[in-house]
Every structure is written in C-alpha cells, then in structure tokens.
Amino acid sequence: MTLQTAERPRLHAPAHAPRTGRTERDKVSRWQIWVPLGLYLVFTLVPFYWMLVFAFRPRGSSSLLPWPITFDNFAVVWNELGFAIFFKNSLMVGVASLIMTTVIALAGGYALARYEFRGKKLFMVGMLCTQFIPGAMMLIPLFEIFRTFGLVNSLWSLVIAETVFQLPLSLILISGFIRNVPVELEQAAWVDGCSRLRGFFAVVLPLLRPALVAVGSFAFIHSWNNFLFALMFVSDQEKFTVPVGLSYTLGEFSVDFGALAAGGVVAAVPVVLVFAFIQRYLVQGMSAGAVKG
C-alpha cells in the first residue's frame, strides 16, 4: 500500500507585485547630467573667453590665444579714455545706492514685519506691481523731477533713481527675513531693559546678515551695470559711469575691439569679486526672505 501525499500548492508571485526602488527607466546616467551642464557652461564661458582674448592679445593679432600677453589695451582704456574717472564714479554710485537701499529697506522691512496697519496688504501688492514697470517708462517723469530739484547732471540723480527702483524687492526680502526671527527674542530683550531700537540692534540685526548681504549686493550690482539712467541723467563726461564709458569705445565707422574688451574686463571684475565673497550668504538670504511667515 502506497501512501500518496497531497502535492503542496506552489506559491506564485503576484503578477503585479509592487516595485520598490527606482526602475531602469527612472535611472539617469551621469552623461545625461554632465553633457547638458557642460554645453551650458561652454555657452556661458565662450563670450568671456573671447573678451579676455581681445583684451590681452596685441592689436592686429588674429590668434585664438592671448599670446603674447599685452596690457596696452588696458593702458589705453584707463588713461586715454578716462576709465579711471568712470570707475570712480560707478563705485561712488554703487556704494551710495547700497547704503541708502539697505538702510531704508531695513527700517521699512521691520515695520512691515512687526506692525499691523490698515492698507498693509495693498501696500505690498503695490510694491510688487512696481516691479512690472520698465525703467524706460519712468525716464521722462524722473528727468522732470530731477530738473526741478537741480539734480540733472549729478551723480545723486543716479543714486536716488537706483534706490527707488531697488526698494520694492529689498523691502520684501528684508520683511520676510525679519518675520522669520521670533518676536520672543525681542521681548526677552525688552524685559531686560532694552528699548525697541536697542533690542533691534542687539538681537535682530545680527541675524539679518544674509538678508543684508543679498539686498546690498543686488543694489550695488544693479547700479554698477545700469546704463539707461546714467546715459539720460548725466551729460558731463567727468561724471560718466563705466557702462556709458564703454559705449564711447564704439566709433562711428569702426570699433576698437581691444579697448572695448579691456573695458569689459574692468567692468566685470568688481561684480565677479562681489559674487565670490557673498555667494554663501546670497542663497540663504534669498530663500529666507521668500518664506512666508
């Protein structure tokens, strides 16, 4: 007599088992990341490379490399075309715009972040709407205002115009950053005997370094690169800024590419240095100011 054992049923995996992890289709190889980034990097750096080639190679040379290196173009730009004066004027306008924008945005941003008043939301919407207005549309009204107050052909007209156009974004960034600072920190300072002003300088201001760096850097760079206001509000060559000075390297029938490239290098150096020193604060200040408290 043989014993027949029942065959055990086989367990089959479900036809549509849930997949864990990433599939082969979802995986992205390295070349799919590095090739687009490399193409974008080449597209960005090639104009800068040609600017350096024209600036440092001798005049009349057609070499693709700046060799032998010469500084004759920089000497022409700095001494003959007056870029030493243009550079000083741009630096003065940039620093003054930075200080005025930062101070006003700091005071206004604190008021927007800590106080509730009628029309606050409408005011914020109005500031955002001003960012949609091109600067060219405001040239005639600004010119008439500056002419009335005797500021035409003055560097102060550039400082005031740049400050006004930079304030809306700066106020929003500063107010958003202050809103993220707990008010309990200030209240603790008030309990210890500090006034509101002293508590602000002792508690809040040290925490605003990233926001101040972001606002100040944007104000400086925008005023440094602005061409339209400097061209329209200033007519004296002794008060030209670097962007306007660059336009004078373009002749009526010819272009001095060596001088133009050398001037471009001079104009780009301060901006590159500013970003090199502030990049670690810039992203933090922008992201913190964009968070809704």
Side-chain angles (χ1 to χ4, degrees):
M1 182 176 180
T2 59
L3 298 176
Q4 294 181 354
T5 59
E7 185 178 357
R8 296 181 180 179
R10 296 181 181 180
L11 299 178
H12 297 280
H16 300 284
R19 298 180 180 180
T20 59
R22 301 174 60 186
T23 62
E24 293 295 332
R25 184 178 297 179
D26 296 332
K27 293 181 180 179
V28 179
S29 59
R30 291 187 176 183
W31 68 267
Q32 291 176 303
I33 299 176
W34 291 109
V35 169
L37 290 178
L39 293 176
Y40 177 75
L41 184 64
V42 170
F43 179 78
T44 306
L45 293 182
V46 164
F48 289 96
Y49 173 76
W50 277 109
M51 182 175 66
L52 294 175
V53 168
F54 278 101
F56 286 102
R57 76 182 181 185
R59 295 189 176 187
S61 175
S62 59
S63 175
L64 297 179
L65 296 175
W67 189 263
I69 294 178
T70 179
F71 293 93
D72 294 341
N73 294 320
F74 291 91
V76 171
V77 166
W78 195 262
N79 298 322
E80 297 182 13
L81 298 182
F83 259 68
I85 300 175
F86 304 157
F87 190 91
K88 182 186 69 175
N89 294 336
S90 292
L91 191 62
M92 292 172 58
V93 172
V95 172
S97 301
L98 183 154
I99 295 174
M100 291 183 62
T101 302
T102 304
V103 171
I104 299 175
L106 195 60
Y110 184 85
L112 292 174
R114 289 291 189 255
Y115 294 96
E116 294 295 334
F117 51 89
R118 183 178 300 177
K120 177 180 176 180
K121 293 184 179 180
L122 184 62
F123 178 75
M124 296 288 289
V125 172
M127 286 195 304
L128 289 175
C129 292
T130 59
Q131 299 299 295
F132 305 136
I133 302 176
M137 293 181 59
M138 305 301 295
L139 285 177
I140 296 177
L142 286 175
F143 187 86
E144 289 297 323
I145 293 173
F146 293 148
R147 186 178 63 85
T148 303
F149 290 96
L151 294 176
V152 176
N153 199 23
S154 172
L155 294 180
W156 280 109
S157 61
L158 305 181
V159 174
I160 295 173
E162 291 293 339
T163 303
V164 169
F165 274 85
Q166 289 297 311
L167 270 180
L169 179 61
S170 302
L171 281 170
I172 295 172
L173 288 177
I174 293 290
S175 63
F177 201 96
I178 295 177
R179 200 175 292 114
N180 291 329
V181 178
V183 70
E184 289 78 11
L185 296 177
E186 289 187 83
Q187 293 174 350
W190 302 342
V191 172
D192 292 337
C194 291
S195 62
R196 180 178 287 272
L197 182 61
R198 185 177 178 183
F200 171 78
F201 282 106
V203 177
V204 180
L205 189 60
L207 301 176
L208 300 181
R209 182 181 302 176
L212 295 178
V213 170
V215 168
S217 60
F218 283 142
F220 177 82
I221 293 172
H222 189 273
S223 62
W224 180 273
N225 293 329
N226 193 283
F227 171 76
L228 188 60
F229 291 162
L231 180 66
M232 298 302 298
F233 299 150
V234 175
S235 58
D236 190 358
Q237 188 173 357
E238 296 294 325
K239 298 177 182 178
F240 283 168
T241 57
V242 169
V244 179
L246 281 175
S247 66
Y248 277 81
T249 60
L250 305 175
E252 184 178 359
F253 301 103
S254 63
V255 179
D256 190 348
F257 289 103
L260 181 62
V265 173
V266 172
V269 166
V271 178
V272 173
L273 292 178
V274 168
F275 271 105
F277 284 105
I278 68 169
Q279 59 179 348
R280 60 175 180 173
Y281 298 108
L282 190 59
V283 177
Q284 183 181 358
M286 286 291 294
S287 60
V291 176
K292 182 179 180 180

